[in-house]
Amino acid sequence: MDFIKFVRIVILCSSLCESSKILVTPVDAGYNSRLKNMIQIGKLLMNAGHEVTLLFSDQLEVDALYKLAETNTMNKTFNVIHYKKPPVDPSKDMDTLNQDWLKGMMKKNGVDALEYISSVFDVIISYPLEDDIVWKRISTANFDLIVSDENVYYSRIVAASFDVPLILYSNWGPMTFGANLVQRFNLALVPAFVEPYSDALSFSERVYNVWQYYKLLRVNENIFSKSIGLCRQHGYGEACDNIKDAEKTVSLIFMNRNDVLHYPLPLMPHVISLEGFFLETPKSLGHQYKDIIERAGKNGIIVVSFGSMFRKLWPELRTIFAKAFAAMPQTVIWSYEGPTPEGIGKNTYVSKWIPQESLLNHPATKVFVTQCGASSSFQALHYAVPVVGVPFFWDQPYYCQKLTERVKAGQTVHLEGITSEKLKRAMEEVIKNKTYKENAAKAAAIYHDQPIPPKDKVVYWAEYVIRHKGAPHLRSQGANALNFFQYFLLDITALVAAIIVAMAIILIIIVKKSISIFSRNFKKNKRD
């Protein structure tokens, strides 16, 4: 009997724990935290026993930042399908290492910035479409699931062509590039894109928010039309329509979002909040950083990082930062690789790559000076570190607003009009005023109080889609099928208005008739 039970358990386990084949497609426009987070999803699924294949260009592994960040060779960790991409000078390409390109985006806000870089979508989709060998490998792989960055339209074509369930990942939380990928059920409280609004918008903010939403729809339409055109040119047929229709066919949306950081909003059940799944277990600091922290003494340290994009800064800005850091009594550890800034102090240590999470986890860290990227913001939240946010563009003002106004765990210093003195005062205030640290600790306690660890949630929901061969039952067909007039109940409003008008007309006719009859009777009685 015991042996029979054992056999049943083995059979059950083998049926439940069967390895699946999963394709993961990150955006490849230079190595950055967005791409790293997609790689992390792949690692989580691989560690759960699945066969994971990554799709990216043959140029990524020669990226200098990739070599610093990914110490293990990718081919030893995953199956990798490379599509061909001609070598380019990243300082002249639409790439995260092109500082001029980045500065151009900084001059634009929200949807205007998306329109400014819209040609990037052509590049992202063109190279894999042009590589027939990649398509042949994918067509014979029999994938059970595709997990893709929301901006990789190629994955949408693959999903539609081979009927593979698709999960899209939104790195910026509810602020998706697609206007309706996550339905904005109420523009009165849900920002249309990356504006740094709360959920209590003023009248002018609501007006601007609605305007931004319809601009986003227009920009989406242009991007989708171009990508669909390129797809059809390469002969992929009806599957190209899924570039635009993915919001109606996607199984799940993995959203980088948490209730303590983001404002509440209505979401459909196929939208899954992953709460910073990419955070890693801090490693022990090496002797170099232990010595720096020990020499810092009771003053502690300030950790500075402006993300993967702003590791090099233009002269006037890096000088402002360097002088502000030099004026602080704390020791500053700055992730930076550009020319040595003028005015850099003896208290400032500069390195191309720093163990950021391990430093934030150290009790000697007094404040985190950050651009408030999505990943950095979750790190600050997770490790209960107060921040001084210096947002550059895109989602960064949005996340700085969340950390400094919703969580109240720091201050924001905007680049417009920034000076060394302003930055210095902000750092001093956040370090001396213990309220910021207390608020950060409260937020971290709420963040950690989760029924399912974020990493386990990634695996569970991916396997859920695989088990059920998709999840259309979680997606609202009605929300996707309703047209503009139905969605906003304008047809019902028109019906009610018509009924009211009809009743008013009838009432007016009755009143007129009554007055006419009364008048005739009155005149008749008067003659009699």
Side-chain angles (χ1 to χ4, degrees):
M1 182 62 71
D2 290 340
F3 177 76
I4 293 174
K5 286 182 178 179
F6 174 77
V7 171
R8 285 177 178 172
I9 291 171
V10 171
I11 293 172
L12 179 63
C13 183
S14 63
S15 65
L16 292 176
C17 305
E18 183 179 355
S19 175
S20 297
K21 300 177 74 174
I22 301 173
L23 177 66
V24 177
T25 58
V27 169
D28 182 357
Y31 187 83
N32 51 53
S33 59
R34 188 186 192 102
L35 186 147
K36 182 180 179 183
N37 292 346
M38 285 298 297
I39 292 174
Q40 181 65 17
I41 289 177
K43 289 178 180 178
L44 293 172
L45 295 172
M46 184 191 65
N47 292 338
H50 299 288
E51 183 181 338
V52 177
T53 299
L54 274 171
L55 173 68
F56 50 73
S57 78
D58 55 4
Q59 296 299 309
L60 178 63
E61 291 175 355
V62 302
D63 185 290
L65 189 55
Y66 170 89
K67 292 178 180 179
L68 282 171
E70 301 294 335
T71 52
N72 296 321
T73 303
M74 190 63 67
N75 298 66
K76 293 180 180 178
T77 308
F78 301 100
N79 298 323
V80 177
I81 297 178
H82 289 122
Y83 57 82
K84 295 178 182 177
K85 181 179 178 181
V88 293
D89 182 352
S91 66
K92 298 178 181 178
D93 190 28
M94 289 178 293
D95 188 279
T96 56
L97 294 179
N98 185 341
Q99 291 291 301
D100 291 334
W101 183 62
L102 294 175
K103 286 178 72 173
M105 279 194 287
M106 286 176 56
K107 298 175 183 178
K108 303 178 183 296
N109 294 323
V111 181
D112 293 332
L114 177 60
E115 189 169 28
Y116 174 76
I117 68 156
S118 59
S119 57
V120 170
F121 290 85
D122 302 343
V123 174
I124 292 172
I125 196 173
S126 293
Y127 292 127
L129 283 176
E130 292 166 358
D131 198 325
D132 293 335
I133 296 175
V134 168
W135 186 261
K136 288 177 183 177
R137 288 188 63 182
I138 290 175
S139 66
T140 59
N142 297 317
F143 289 111
D144 300 294
L145 176 67
I146 301 172
V147 184
S148 173
D149 187 289
E150 61 165 316
N151 293 329
V152 180
Y153 296 160
Y154 184 76
S155 63
R156 304 183 184 192
I157 303 167
V158 174
S161 297
F162 303 109
D163 195 25
V164 183
L166 175 66
I167 296 175
L168 294 179
Y169 169 65
S170 172
N171 192 63
W172 290 356
M175 301 301 100
T176 54
F177 280 73
N180 291 322
L181 183 61
V182 175
Q183 286 93 347
R184 269 70 166 170
F185 283 109
N186 196 325
L187 290 172
L189 60 95
V190 179
F193 198 33
V194 292
E195 298 303 326
Y197 294 152
S198 72
D199 59 348
L201 279 69
S202 66
F203 176 77
S204 60
E205 287 174 340
R206 281 184 284 121
V207 170
Y208 186 72
N209 196 42
V210 172
W211 171 243
Q212 286 290 91
Y213 173 72
Y214 286 104
K215 280 177 63 179
L216 184 59
L217 284 175
R218 177 182 59 80
V219 173
N220 280 175
E221 187 62 36
N222 292 338
I223 292 172
F224 290 150
S225 296
K226 278 188 175 182
S227 296
I228 291 171
L230 288 169
C231 178
R232 291 191 181 281
Q233 285 176 22
H234 287 84
Y236 289 91
E238 293 182 0
C240 301
D241 292 335
N242 200 46
I243 292 174
K244 181 178 180 180
D245 295 338
E247 65 196 44
K248 303 176 182 178
T249 62
V250 67
S251 289
L252 298 177
I253 296 169
F254 281 167
M255 179 182 287
N256 190 22
R257 180 189 173 280
N258 179 263
D259 289 330
V260 71
L261 186 61
H262 295 85
Y263 291 96
L265 74 163
L267 296 170
M268 284 294 179
H270 75 292
V271 180
I272 311 299
S273 295
L274 293 183
E275 291 110 0
F277 65 92
F278 46 80
L279 296 168
E280 300 175 357
T281 302
K283 298 176 182 177
S284 178
L285 289 169
H287 291 298
Q288 175 190 0
Y289 290 100
K290 285 182 178 178
D291 291 343
I292 292 172
I293 292 172
E294 186 175 342
R295 288 196 297 271
K298 64 179 181 179
N299 287 327
I301 64 171
I302 296 172
V303 178
V304 182
S305 174
F306 301 114
S308 55
M309 293 187 181
F310 295 97
R311 301 170 57 75
K312 298 178 182 179
L313 299 169
W314 42 103
E316 62 273 19
L317 188 58
R318 63 179 180 246
T319 299
I320 287 171
F321 287 145
K323 289 182 177 179
F325 300 150
M328 298 297 292
Q330 288 76 25
T331 298
V332 178
I333 300 176
W334 185 4
S335 180
Y336 172 79
E337 64 169 300
T340 302
E342 181 184 343
I344 194 166
K346 293 181 179 179
N347 67 329
T348 305
Y349 293 83
V350 171
S351 177
K352 290 183 179 180
W353 188 258
I354 64 173
Q356 186 164 305
E357 288 199 54
S358 297
L359 290 170
L360 293 177
N361 186 51
H362 199 283
T365 299
K366 302 299 181 182
V367 68
F368 181 26
V369 181
T370 171
Q371 90 287 10
C372 300
S375 297
S376 296
S377 297
F378 269 94
Q379 288 175 1
L381 177 66
H382 177 72
Y383 295 109
V385 181
V387 302
V388 170
V390 186
F392 287 74
F393 61 8
W394 282 123
D395 61 324
Q396 295 165 13
Y398 171 84
Y399 274 105
C400 275
Q401 189 268 350
K402 302 297 172 286
L403 286 170
T404 61
E405 294 186 30
R406 177 161 170 77
V407 178
K408 294 180 171 43
Q411 290 196 358
T412 297
V413 180
H414 295 284
L415 283 181
E416 186 177 358
I418 190 173
T419 64
S420 297
E421 184 58 29
K422 284 183 181 179
L423 181 57
K424 173 177 172 287
R425 284 201 304 266
M427 289 187 289
E428 289 175 339
E429 167 64 18
V430 172
I431 291 172
K432 292 177 180 177
N433 189 337
K434 302 303 179 185
T435 303
Y436 295 106
K437 177 63 178 178
E438 291 169 0
N439 290 339
K442 289 178 185 176
I446 298 172
Y447 169 74
H448 292 134
D449 194 355
Q450 300 181 40
I452 304 174
K455 289 180 171 60
D456 293 347
K457 195 184 286 190
V458 171
V459 175
Y460 170 80
W461 281 107
E463 291 179 343
Y464 179 94
V465 172
I466 293 170
R467 284 196 300 272
H468 301 290
K469 302 186 185 304
H473 53 285
L474 296 179
R475 190 177 59 248
S476 171
Q477 302 303 321
N480 288 319
L482 294 173
N483 61 37
F484 176 86
F485 293 96
Q486 293 168 328
Y487 186 86
F488 291 103
L489 299 179
L490 297 181
D491 51 351
I492 295 176
T493 302
L495 175 63
V496 172
I499 291 172
I500 292 172
V501 169
M503 290 177 66
I505 292 172
I506 292 170
L507 182 62
I508 291 169
I509 291 172
I510 292 172
V511 170
K512 281 186 174 182
K513 285 288 185 183
S514 299
I515 292 172
S516 177
I517 293 170
F518 177 78
S519 178
R520 283 200 305 268
N521 290 337
F522 178 77
K523 289 178 180 179
K524 183 179 178 182
N525 292 334
K526 191 174 182 180
R527 285 196 300 268
D528 294 342

